[in-house]
Structures are given as C-alpha cells and as structure tokens.
Amino acid sequence: MKRNICLFLAACVALLNSCTTTGPVGLFGKRSPHEQYGQKLSNAGLNETALGRSWFKAAEASLNNPLQITIPHKEAGYFPADKPRASALRFEVKRGERITIDLQKKPLTNFNIYIDLWEVKDSKNKKLLAYADTGGNAFSHEVEDSGFYIIRLQPELLAAGEFTLTISKGPSLAFPVKGGKIGSLWGADRDGGLRSHEGIDIFAPKRTPALAAADGTISRVTTNQLGGKVIFMRPKGKNYSLYYAHLDEQLASAGETVKTGDTIGLVGNTGNAISTAPHLHLGIYTTGGAIDPLAFVNPVTKPAPDIKALLTNLGKYMRTNKPVVLKNGTQKSSEAIASLKSGTLVEVSSASQNVYKAILPDGSYGFLPASSLNQLNNPIKRIHLSAEKQLFDKPQSSAPRISVLTPTTRVNVLASYNEFYYVEAEEERGWITQE
C-alpha cells in the first residue's frame, strides 16, 4: 500500500514537472517560478502530503536559517531526489554594486532548480527582489540599498542532480575615465579637516575624455567655486545624479541624451583643484545628499575562489576525524552551531573552497573544513552484540525500525551521533543504541 502511494505521488510530481510554467499574474504582478511551482503543488493537493509539506517547509526554513558567506563565492552541490531540500546563502553587499548569479546544473534536462534573490529587511522580514526565469540559469541585480541579501536554491520534487553556483559582484556603472586611476576616496579630509571628501578622484592626463557612466540625460552644465567646470548627469531610470567636476572642458549641453561611453567632457583641474594633478572628481547625489560612488564604478573585481574540496564526496555520508565545530559561515569568525565529536556522521551537501556544507542526522547544517572529514570505507570498530538490538533508520528510539539484529551478530561501527552508532550489519545500514 505504501509503495502504491509513493508511486502515485511520483507520477503526480512527474506530471507537474513536465508542465510548462505559464506565469499566472497575482495582485502585484507576475509570480516567481518558485511561487508558480508551489501553486501547482497546492492545486494538485500535494501540499497535503508528507512529501509536499516537506518541500514547502524546506523552502521556508532555508530562508530563516541561511548560511553566511562572502562574495565572490563559488560552490558545487548535490540535491537528492528522496529528500526535499533547499539551500540559502546570506551575504552583504553595498549600494551601487551589481551582483551576478550563475548556476550550472547536471543533468541539463528534467532537473529544474529555482533561484531567488531576497533582501533582508530585518530578522523577520525579507523581500523577493529577483529570480531566474523558468529554465534560466543566470541573472543579475543592481543593489539599491546596502545590507544583507539571500540567494535561495530549491529543486522540484523528486529531482536529483548536481549544481555549481557562482555569485559575483561588480560595479553597476561604467568607469568614467578610460585608463584613469582612483587616487582619493570618499571621506578623506579636505581643507585641513574642516570638511570631508564627498566623492572619489580619478586621476588621468589633462584632457583625457570623461565618459558617460550610463545611458541618461545631461541635467546641468555649469561652473562653481569648488568644482570649476562641472556637469550633472541623470542616469536613465535612476533616483540619483552623477556629478563630474574639475573638467578642463565641457562637451555636453543641458537636456542632451547620452549613451554609456559617450565623451561629455575632458579631465582637468579647474575650481579648487588648480594646484593638483588633473583628475575627475566624481560624485553621486540623491535626495538625501551625497553618497560614496566607489561601489558604483570600482573596476577592481575579484574572481570567485576555486573549489578545492573533493567533489566526489558530494551527496555522501562521511564522519569527522577529530573534534570539530560546525559553523554557520565560511569565515573564521563565524558563529558555532554545534561541537562535534570525532566519528560524528554527516552528509556532504556542497563544497566551496576548502569547506563542505554538512548536514547532521537531526537536520541541522553548517560548514566544516573538508580536511576534518573521512569516508566510511573502514569501520571505527567491530563489535559482537551481546543482546538483541533494533536497527533504526534514524538515531532516535522512536524512529521506524529497519530490522532486529540478533545476538552474536557481527556489527561494523561506521560513525556515531549522540548516543547512537551508525552501523553496517548483515548488508544493512542503520542506527543502534550504544552499549
């Protein structure tokens, strides 16, 4: 009977997964592919099944308990078909940066992973900002508020496969001076400390072209005491203005529409920069005043670190080879989730740099050094049972029983968790209470 129910659910899920997502429109616009798939599950009644409930629970739990990373970040992972799961990563970015998410998956067909980007408003509130279209593997998003963001990955039900996720960041605007070098940053002292620098200075030879950093409109062309010959430009669709100062010559006029890379002026040292080397002072002004332009135009980007942890361990059970701390992030300062004894069983979910994302038997998860885990090829020890033992499918006395091991049964202890051994006996694997 149980097998028939499982086959029926698998057939329902297969039918749902084969359907094309058409994009129903809700009150506030188009639903994300993840939301559309969830609605299909509910419409089919699968949200009332254990399998469906697990899928929705995993989606919510991952957002409430994301792991902490720094970007750029690259990881490879595995989603099993028999365990509905989701993975969420939390990171910090600055206003003006553009984050790019790229996902490569295997197999290429019949394995859809939904990718969502969320903004963390506070500990309880999160806002969905962007997502990859159905069948898409990449998208980018310009950050409008500095703070924390979450990327969530979740496959469809009963879909197994591997993935490689890369999260990178770069400037949202083009660099405004070809060959120029940033030499003075936001907040530097000016006039002997009487004021601070409200922009960045980009040094280049006199009369080097100053370029439009985005498509937009020239709003003002004027002169002032500090900036000398200046230009104000409003990027298309943005709520801020770019300020070009110390120009030797202005080559654009108010009201003119420009494209990214158009020459709008020539670098100079007019205004209060008369005694300094030629440079472009770039400022950004919002209704709330000046903001730091560096993240908007910084040409220095870092590649995501290579994955050095062995990918052959993805999806496998392993055990700790020493006492180790499971952490909620990849940094040394990350918070501890649990202190694990040597020999503790974990499931490897993903790999990044020199760490694995490990899942404990109770469902909690975090990062462990890859070097702290060994495969289960050889038992920790061998024991002969002195009495009858129940073999459970989880390290809980209330868990379903796989079988009953008779006295004198030879048992290979592969790992442990709390007061249970993970064992292999009579070609079966499961959990027994420690003697």
Side-chain angles (χ1 to χ4, degrees):
M1 181 67 177
K2 182 179 179 182
R3 182 175 182 274
N4 290 338
I5 293 174
C6 291
L7 289 174
F8 171 74
L9 289 175
C12 291
V13 170
L15 179 62
L16 286 173
N17 292 352
S18 67
C19 295
T20 301
T21 303
T22 57
V25 177
L27 179 62
F28 300 105
K30 183 179 178 181
R31 292 173 179 168
S32 72
H34 185 279
E35 292 169 327
Q36 294 177 50
Y37 182 73
Q39 187 62 54
K40 289 197 296 181
L41 294 179
S42 297
N43 291 344
L46 292 175
N47 60 319
E48 298 298 329
T49 66
L51 188 66
R53 286 195 299 269
S54 295
W55 191 87
F56 285 102
K57 183 178 179 180
E60 182 178 2
S62 64
L63 285 181
N64 292 332
N65 297 284
L67 295 179
Q68 316 296 315
I69 60 167
T70 57
I71 56 175
H73 174 81
K74 184 176 183 179
E75 72 172 46
Y78 173 77
F79 284 117
D82 60 337
K83 302 171 184 175
R85 284 181 179 161
S87 176
L89 301 171
R90 183 175 183 261
F91 51 89
E92 187 174 11
V93 283
K94 296 179 180 179
R95 179 178 182 180
E97 292 179 323
R98 178 175 294 279
I99 56 177
T100 301
I101 295 92
D102 179 79
L103 184 76
Q104 303 298 319
K105 56 192 179 71
K106 181 182 179 181
L108 296 177
T109 59
N110 300 319
F111 179 50
N112 288 329
I113 300 179
Y114 299 109
I115 320 171
D116 299 327
L117 174 67
W118 299 74
E119 181 182 9
V120 180
K121 292 295 188 180
D122 53 47
S123 59
K124 295 183 179 181
N125 298 314
K126 302 170 186 69
K127 178 182 178 183
L128 179 62
L129 294 180
Y131 46 82
D133 292 332
T134 302
N137 296 323
F139 66 95
S140 64
H141 180 79
E142 181 179 339
V143 177
E144 296 183 353
D145 294 294
S146 296
F148 288 93
Y149 292 76
I150 294 173
I151 283 290
R152 181 182 66 186
L153 306 180
Q154 187 171 25
E156 294 176 341
L157 282 173
L158 300 181
E162 301 175 9
F163 67 87
T164 300
L165 172 71
T166 304
I167 309 174
S168 56
K169 65 179 180 178
S172 58
L173 298 176
F175 199 64
V177 181
K178 185 176 181 179
K181 294 184 178 180
I182 299 173
S184 182
L185 301 177
W186 170 272
D189 285 345
R190 291 291 187 268
D191 296 336
L194 296 178
R195 63 183 181 90
S196 61
H197 194 210
E198 291 191 340
I200 60 174
D201 290 340
I202 304 172
F203 290 84
K206 191 169 185 177
R207 297 185 66 78
T208 297
L211 311 174
D215 295 350
T217 303
I218 303 299
S219 51
R220 289 175 60 195
V221 178
T222 185
T223 60
N224 62 51
Q225 185 175 356
L226 290 178
K229 295 179 180 181
V230 303
I231 291 175
F232 287 87
M233 175 194 160
R234 186 69 172 234
K236 184 178 179 180
K238 304 304 178 185
N239 60 355
Y240 58 81
S241 293
L242 303 181
Y243 174 64
Y244 292 71
H246 307 315
L247 296 171
D248 187 68
E249 185 177 352
Q250 300 141 311
L251 300 178
S253 55
E256 181 180 349
T257 299
V258 296
K259 294 290 186 181
T260 303
D262 286 351
T263 298
I264 61 175
L266 301 176
V267 171
N269 58 346
T270 57
N272 70 345
I274 191 68
S275 61
T276 68
H279 66 274
L280 172 70
H281 170 93
L282 179 70
I284 296 183
Y285 288 89
T286 68
T287 54
I291 60 175
D292 188 354
L294 183 61
F296 289 78
V297 299
N298 188 3
V300 179
T301 58
K302 297 180 180 179
D306 292 333
I307 301 171
K308 297 180 180 178
L310 292 177
L311 301 185
T312 52
N313 291 323
L314 292 178
K316 293 184 178 180
Y317 287 104
M318 303 185 75
R319 64 174 178 249
T320 56
N321 54 34
K322 60 183 178 181
V324 66
V325 176
L326 186 74
K327 293 188 174 184
N328 75 339
T330 55
Q331 296 178 305
K332 291 182 179 180
S333 59
S334 298
E335 294 181 3
I337 296 174
S339 295
L340 307 182
K341 299 177 182 178
S342 180
T344 300
L345 185 78
V346 302
E347 182 182 354
V348 175
S349 175
S350 68
S352 56
Q353 291 183 269
N354 293 310
V355 301
Y356 284 131
K357 176 184 174 183
I359 304 175
L360 298 182
D362 66 0
S364 58
Y365 51 84
F367 290 115
L368 288 174
S371 61
S372 69
L373 298 179
N374 284 349
Q375 296 183 353
L376 304 182
N377 296 334
N378 299 311
I380 296 174
K381 61 181 179 178
R382 294 180 172 88
I383 58 176
H384 284 82
L385 299 182
S386 59
E388 186 178 86
K389 281 280 189 182
Q390 297 187 71
L391 186 68
F392 300 105
D393 73 350
K394 293 180 181 179
Q396 302 169 358
S397 297
S398 59
R401 187 180 65 187
I402 298 173
S403 64
V404 176
L405 304 180
T406 58
T408 72
T409 298
R410 184 176 180 179
V411 173
N412 291 328
V413 178
L414 303 178
S416 64
Y417 183 71
N418 291 337
E419 304 305 317
F420 286 79
Y421 284 137
Y422 182 67
V423 302
E424 184 176 54
E426 298 179 343
E427 298 183 353
E428 292 183 313
R429 288 189 177 187
W431 296 89
I432 62 172
T433 54
Q434 295 183 16
E435 294 180 338

